[in-house]
Amino acid sequence: MARGAGTDLRLEAKLGFDRIRTMISDRCSTEYATTRVAEERFSSDPKEISRRLFLTDEMRLVVMFEENFPTNGYIDCLSFLVPLGSEGCTIDLLSLGKLRTLVETVRRLTDFFASTKDGVYPNLKKMSSRVACFPEVQKKIDTILDKFGDIKDTASEELFQIRRTLKAKEAAISKVAASILKQAQMDGIVDEDASLSVRDGKLLIPVNSSAKRKIPGFVHDTSATGKTAYIEPAELVEIENDIVTLHTEEAQEIHRILAAFSDFVRPFVPDLIKSSEYVGETDFLVAKAQTALDFKAGMPVISKDWEMNLRKARHPLLEKALAREGKQIVPISIKLNPDKHILLISGPNAGGKSVCLKTTGLLQYMFQWGMLIPTSESSELPVFDRIMVSIGDDQSLENDLSTYSSFLEDMKSMLRQADSKTLVLIDEFGSGTEPAAGGAIAEAILSEFDRKGVYGVITTHYTNLKLYASGPDTGVVNGAMQFDASRIQPLFALEIGLPGNSFAFELARKMGLPESIVKDAENRAGEEFVGIERNLRKIIRNRRALEEKLQKIKNTDRTLENITERYQKELEGIKQTKKEIIDQARKEAQEIVKGANKTVENTIRTIKESQAEKERTMGARKNLQDFVTALQARKEEEQKNHDDYIDTKLKQLNDRKLRSRKGKKAEEAAPQEKEAQAFRGGTLKVGEKVRIKSNGMAGEVVRVSDKAVTVAVGNITSKMPLDKVERISSNEYKAMMKDSIKPRTASEDNSGLRERRLNFSPELDVRGERVNDALDIVEHYIDDAIMLNIGSVRIIHGKGTGALRDELQRYLSTIPGIASVRDEHIQFGGSGVTIVTFE
């Protein structure tokens, strides 16, 4: 049935706007922006539409041209900021790191817009001016957190003392245990080759069961044969208890620090919530701007005189689909006004009628939603109160509605609600029933729409409707989808002012129907129908020929104008050159005259002095003749140089014009690939969502250093190099998390994980590695083992001094998911190998 815009999302599905929403939403980094995309609605308020369009268009320019605009750090903070406003609520460590990211992002955004000149991005600048910055909050956070997001030792004097004591105790426990073991070996209580063992995170000494009472302490375990008892010396118990107590005190002090910070920041929470919303709103605008750039969209003009003028409009979804096939879309132009407010499009099937209708509806809806549209920026659109559609087959078995009954339900709703501020879109008007009755009902409905001043785009094949639109006193105008009759194929171009031809008989012949059948059909259609179709084709053919001639005349006029302009400029250049040459020639002539006078005077003097001696007279005359010949040669050379100069200037003019034309073609499209690279790359912030490139898993950044990033994937935290992850949007993160929690069967098992299980080695050798390097290697190895559900692994570290073994086992005992950490049996490596068993 017909649907009112802004209340029924089925309208969006009919027009394809639901896919536009998804495309914008997929570019959002925050849940706030994703929610804004979902909740933004069609508006019929010109001021609100204008506000949305200006903000989006300004952000489009920012994304296009401003390299210093912050493109990362957009995170959600409302989930912990809202509760933080209540007394007694304490912020946790991860949320504190997110808060630092938020404050830094707000500072960078406000600094950017504050630094722009007045009049540049005025709406975005106004939005930014209302947002507060929090230097005191940022300063306070910096005294608590280090650059990696951990609590600093200097966050409080008490924490500094606790951690210093804790480090001393942890360093002492290994020394004390080694000393007790060495003494026991010297006393013969423990075997010479025995080494310390770790069970449940405790350092134990393996002692013969017969001598277990000789070492004061607690027996924690015995060997399978019962010959060896594992004893925790009493001295170590005391130190271990001290360490446990210190860890408890450390956690309590950290909680106290966070609680004190929570009390400090609580007065700022209302403004911080507004700042978080500002960051989310900016993320929303950036997503709209990036989608607009992808569509090559611009901002149309809001019409005040109810004129709809779509110029070179393109359906964004169809354009992208055609681009994937290496094809180009054919833009359309539509003009409606209060005098001609309904466009009736006719033409052959699959000729583009429905595309024109849906393009009009989708772009009008995008415009009133506040989105830039892919048209010429000189396009004008009015603001409708509602858009109503009847597109496709809405027959319903449940409601006992046939195709035509569904169409009539739509028409009933439209006739009841539509007015001069309504846009109706009707596809295949009147089809679905007996043609004579269907055409008559459709004409009556069209006449009522015309009387009420309803705006609309309607497609049809009915001849009576085309004749109605051809009447002089109607508000309906015909439109035809152009068709190449010679090749029997559509051109997908809309021509306003003429009715379209169905070309049914031509298409039938092209599809191979017998000629006798086609002829019989023409006879059955009647001479009147065939005559109308033939006349329509003739009109279209004559109009196209006339337009081609007019276009040739326009091209000729344009060419003549260009030639005239070029010759005018060249003539002016020649006149200037002539003037310069004449001036130069006058100067040279003066010099020549001076030279000639001297030569003549010398010749006369020579003749007089020689008293008419024949030889000297002849010599003087010869010198004079040589001088005259040199003058003539110089004149010819200057003339040649002048001609060459003119030819060179003309060639330079032509070359310059050719380069200008090439330059314009080269600058038509601006590169947009850097948009995706800027989003995926850039400096990561705590709280942002990322994808691990090696396995495709999604996680949240909990710590960032100069070279590495720590990512939380569920309950597992992994440290990895920065180039191993890439930033993802909020929608991508939600989709990946949704997929990850679905129950999996053997047949659905991820091929990447299956390959990693096959390649995973249950044994790791870190002999020869330094302690820090070995810990990093083991950390990644254990993460992989937990992720791949490995039962147990062997870590070979060698015996040496025992320091590497001690550090590794102490670290392993702190990892959740590990059931036990123990030395290998003596026959398989003893204390040189650690066996790790997982829960």
Side-chain angles (χ1 to χ4, degrees):
M1 63 182 293
R3 299 168 179 90
T7 59
D8 195 342
L9 296 180
R10 287 179 296 173
L11 170 65
E12 296 186 1
K14 288 284 186 181
L15 296 177
F17 185 76
D18 56 335
R19 295 171 61 189
I20 303 293
R21 274 192 197 271
T22 301
M23 295 173 74
I24 299 172
S25 182
D26 287 344
R27 294 176 182 271
C28 296
S29 299
T30 63
E31 185 66 26
Y32 179 95
T34 303
T35 303
R36 283 282 288 110
V37 176
E39 294 179 351
E40 191 82 303
R41 287 288 172 260
F42 176 98
S43 174
S44 56
D45 181 358
K47 290 184 179 179
E48 175 61 18
I49 295 170
S50 179
R51 185 189 70 84
R52 295 180 188 179
L53 290 175
F54 274 112
L55 285 171
T56 306
D57 192 51
E58 287 178 13
M59 187 59 76
R60 177 180 67 94
L61 297 176
V62 169
V63 173
M64 280 180 66
F65 300 115
E66 301 292 350
E67 295 181 356
N68 296 327
F69 180 73
T71 56
N72 54 29
Y74 299 102
I75 62 172
D76 291 295
C77 293
L78 292 177
S79 59
F80 65 84
L81 281 176
V82 173
L84 193 59
S86 303
E87 290 291 336
C89 182
T90 301
I91 194 170
D92 58 54
L93 182 58
L94 178 58
S95 297
L96 183 60
K98 290 182 177 181
L99 182 58
R100 178 164 68 178
T101 299
L102 171 67
V103 172
E104 174 63 18
T105 302
V106 171
R107 183 191 62 78
R108 291 190 297 147
L109 284 171
T110 53
D111 285 354
F112 171 82
F113 287 112
S115 65
T116 59
K117 296 179 180 179
D118 291 338
V120 180
Y121 317 129
N123 294 279
L124 290 174
K125 193 166 184 175
K126 181 180 179 181
M127 188 172 80
S128 173
S129 65
R130 304 191 190 105
V131 180
C133 290
F134 307 93
E136 292 301 321
V137 174
Q138 188 164 6
K139 183 178 179 182
K140 187 71 173 179
I141 295 175
D142 290 341
T143 64
I144 298 173
L145 296 182
D146 61 19
K147 63 179 181 179
F148 305 120
D150 294 326
I151 299 289
K152 289 181 176 180
D153 293 349
T154 56
S156 74
E157 182 62 31
E158 292 81 358
L159 184 62
F160 179 79
Q161 295 297 334
I162 291 170
R163 286 185 173 175
R164 186 171 67 174
T165 305
L166 187 59
K167 289 176 183 177
K169 291 286 184 181
E170 289 175 342
I173 194 168
S174 296
K175 294 180 180 179
V176 172
S179 175
I180 294 173
L181 175 63
K182 186 176 181 181
Q183 185 62 45
Q185 289 172 334
M186 292 174 60
D187 294 341
I189 301 172
V190 178
D191 294 338
E192 288 293 330
D193 61 348
S195 61
L196 293 171
S197 179
V198 177
R199 301 288 175 90
D200 297 329
K202 298 181 181 296
L203 284 173
L204 307 178
I205 296 177
V207 182
N208 291 330
S209 296
S210 58
K212 62 183 180 181
R213 297 187 181 279
K214 295 182 179 181
I215 297 180
F218 301 93
V219 177
H220 282 269
D221 200 1
T222 58
S223 65
T225 61
K227 294 181 179 180
T228 304
Y230 293 91
I231 297 175
E232 181 183 15
E235 295 180 51
L236 294 187
V237 172
E238 184 178 350
I239 298 176
E240 285 283 359
N241 289 340
D242 291 343
I243 290 175
V244 171
T245 301
L246 287 169
H247 276 303
T248 302
E249 292 177 358
E250 180 188 30
Q252 291 174 345
E253 179 59 20
I254 289 175
H255 183 271
R256 189 196 66 77
I257 292 170
L258 293 176
F261 174 80
S262 300
D263 292 337
F264 163 79
V265 82
R266 191 161 288 116
F268 297 97
V269 166
D271 288 333
L272 285 168
I273 290 175
K274 292 179 181 178
S275 295
S276 181
E277 292 172 346
Y278 167 71
V279 170
E281 193 70 21
T282 302
D283 183 29
F284 170 59
L285 291 174
V286 169
K288 287 176 67 179
Q290 290 172 341
T291 305
L293 286 172
D294 192 26
F295 290 162
K296 300 180 182 64
M299 187 175 75
V301 178
I302 297 179
S303 175
K304 296 180 180 179
D305 55 5
W306 282 94
E307 181 169 305
M308 173 187 279
N309 197 347
L310 279 173
R311 295 186 176 97
K312 298 181 180 179
R314 311 182 312 277
H315 194 293
L317 302 178
L318 178 61
E319 184 174 30
K320 293 181 73 66
L322 290 175
R324 288 192 290 269
E325 300 175 8
K327 300 177 182 178
Q328 287 188 335
I329 195 169
V330 179
I332 63 169
S333 295
I334 293 176
K335 185 173 183 178
L336 299 176
N337 53 50
D339 294 330
K340 294 291 182 181
H341 47 89
I342 297 177
L343 173 63
L344 186 75
I345 304 176
S346 52
N349 286 320
K353 299 189 302 297
S354 297
V355 171
C356 289
L357 179 144
K358 290 184 178 181
T359 300
T360 305
L362 177 59
L363 299 194
Q364 182 69 39
Y365 196 96
M366 289 172 63
F367 162 72
Q368 292 194 229
W369 189 81
M371 185 63 188
L372 306 183
I373 59 176
T375 65
S376 167
E377 291 195 353
S378 61
S379 295
E380 290 184 78
L381 292 175
V383 176
F384 294 107
D385 286 346
R386 65 188 67 82
I387 298 175
M388 307 182 78
V389 302
S390 178
I391 301 174
D393 186 1
D394 280 340
Q395 62 177 313
S396 171
L397 295 177
E398 292 82 358
N399 298 327
D400 193 25
L401 286 177
S402 67
T403 300
Y404 192 66
S405 298
S406 173
F407 164 76
L408 292 178
E409 283 288 336
D410 286 349
M411 295 304 102
K412 182 175 71 173
S413 179
M414 287 184 180
L415 289 169
R416 185 174 62 249
Q417 298 181 46
D419 56 21
S420 60
K421 295 183 179 180
T422 302
L423 175 66
V424 299
L425 306 167
I426 306 174
D427 197 22
E428 300 295 344
F429 192 29
S431 63
T433 189
E434 193 275 322
I441 292 173
E443 185 174 348
I445 294 172
L446 179 60
S447 176
E448 180 63 11
F449 285 155
D450 186 10
R451 185 188 68 79
K452 296 173 73 172
V454 175
Y455 279 69
V457 177
I458 300 173
T459 68
T460 189
H461 287 287
Y462 286 143
T463 301
N464 64 310
L465 299 184
K466 303 177 194 176
L467 294 174
Y468 178 90
S470 301
D473 300 323
T474 71
V476 185
V477 61
N478 272 307
M481 299 310 301
Q482 294 183 12
F483 192 86
D484 189 337
S486 62
R487 291 184 292 176
I488 315 298
Q489 67 180 30
L491 299 176
F492 304 107
L494 175 64
E495 186 172 16
I496 305 293
L498 283 179
N501 192 319
S502 66
F503 291 93
F505 299 129
E506 288 80 356
L507 288 171
R509 287 190 176 93
K510 181 183 179 182
M511 297 304 295
L513 261 66
E515 180 63 25
S516 60
I517 298 294
V518 178
K519 284 288 186 183
D520 186 34
E522 288 179 336
N523 292 332
R524 291 175 183 274
E527 183 62 30
E528 182 181 356
F529 176 81
V530 175
I532 291 173
E533 293 287 300
R534 187 180 299 115
N535 288 332
L536 283 175
R537 288 198 297 274
K538 185 176 179 181
I539 291 171
I540 293 171
R541 187 164 53 250
N542 291 340
R543 178 165 178 169
R544 187 169 298 127
L546 178 61
E547 287 180 348
E548 288 176 358
K549 290 181 179 179
L550 288 173
Q551 188 61 42
K552 286 182 180 178
I553 292 172
K554 288 180 180 178
N555 292 338
T556 302
D557 288 344
R558 193 178 300 114
T559 302
L560 288 173
E561 289 176 2
N562 292 337
I563 292 173
T564 302
E565 182 182 0
R566 184 185 67 193
Y567 283 145
Q568 185 66 32
K569 290 181 179 179
E570 291 174 358
L571 180 61
E572 291 176 358
I574 290 172
K575 288 180 178 179
Q576 180 64 27
T577 303
K578 178 181 177 182
K579 182 177 182 300
E580 293 173 356
I581 291 174
I582 291 173
D583 291 342
Q584 182 66 26
R586 285 174 178 166
K587 293 180 181 178
E588 292 177 356
Q590 292 175 356
E591 294 177 357
I592 290 171
V593 169
K594 291 180 181 178
N597 288 337
K598 291 181 180 179
T599 302
V600 171
E601 290 173 358
N602 290 335
T603 302
I604 294 171
R605 186 169 57 254
T606 301
I607 293 173
K608 286 181 177 181
E609 290 176 353
S610 63
Q611 295 180 353
E613 290 181 7
K614 185 177 181 181
E615 291 182 1
R616 294 190 64 180
T617 301
M618 290 178 63
R621 288 178 176 176
K622 183 176 182 301
N623 290 337
L624 184 60
Q625 185 63 38
D626 290 342
F627 177 73
V628 172
T629 302
L631 285 178
Q632 184 65 29
R634 183 174 177 182
K635 179 180 179 182
E636 292 175 357
E637 179 66 23
E638 288 177 351
Q639 182 63 37
K640 182 177 180 298
N641 290 339
H642 171 66
D643 294 341
D644 290 344
Y645 175 79
I646 297 299
D647 291 340
T648 301
K649 284 295 182 183
L650 290 174
K651 185 175 183 301
Q652 288 175 350
L653 284 171
N654 291 330
D655 290 345
R656 191 178 298 115
K657 290 180 180 179
L658 182 61
R659 286 196 301 270
S660 176
R661 284 195 293 270
K662 290 181 178 178
K664 288 180 180 178
K665 291 180 180 179
E667 295 173 359
E668 285 180 353
Q672 297 180 8
E673 293 182 0
K674 65 178 183 180
E675 170 203 321
Q677 296 174 356
F679 174 72
R680 298 295 184 195
T683 306
L684 292 171
K685 302 290 184 180
V686 173
E688 290 189 312
K689 310 297 189 300
V690 294
R691 179 193 293 114
I692 301 173
K693 295 179 181 178
S694 60
N695 56 27
M697 301 187 74
E700 185 174 350
V701 176
V702 297
R703 183 178 180 187
V704 182
S705 64
D706 294 337
K707 298 182 180 179
V709 59
T710 302
V711 180
V713 182
N715 294 325
I716 301 172
T717 302
S718 300
K719 183 179 180 181
M720 58 196 71
L722 288 169
D723 60 356
K724 299 298 183 184
V725 300
E726 60 182 2
R727 183 183 288 104
I728 59 176
S729 68
S730 176
N731 269 13
E732 290 174 311
Y733 177 76
K734 285 192 295 184
M736 295 172 72
M737 294 304 293
K738 184 177 179 181
D739 291 341
S740 68
I741 61 176
K742 291 180 180 177
R744 308 177 71 89
T745 63
S747 61
E748 294 173 332
D749 195 9
N750 184 277
S751 61
L753 291 178
R754 183 163 56 249
E755 182 179 353
R756 291 183 65 184
R757 284 196 191 96
L758 293 173
N759 296 330
F760 184 82
S761 173
E763 186 173 278
L764 175 67
D765 191 343
V766 293
R767 286 176 293 184
E769 299 286 348
R770 294 184 177 181
V771 173
N772 289 337
D773 295 337
L775 284 172
D776 285 340
I777 295 170
V778 170
E779 179 182 1
H780 289 90
Y781 180 71
I782 294 299
D783 285 344
D784 287 345
I786 293 174
M787 190 180 302
L788 299 174
N789 294 322
I790 305 299
S792 64
V793 296
R794 301 175 79 247
I795 300 176
I796 304 173
H797 43 66
K799 295 182 179 179
T801 62
L804 179 57
R805 167 189 169 279
D806 297 342
E807 291 296 331
L808 287 177
Q809 292 191 352
R810 183 180 295 109
Y811 165 71
L812 290 168
S813 64
T814 65
I815 298 178
I818 293 181
S820 66
V821 179
R822 62 178 176 82
D823 289 339
E824 178 63 281
H825 292 296
I826 191 68
Q827 62 268 34
F828 299 117
S831 61
V833 179
T834 294
I835 303 297
V836 181
T837 304
F838 299 98
E839 295 177 352

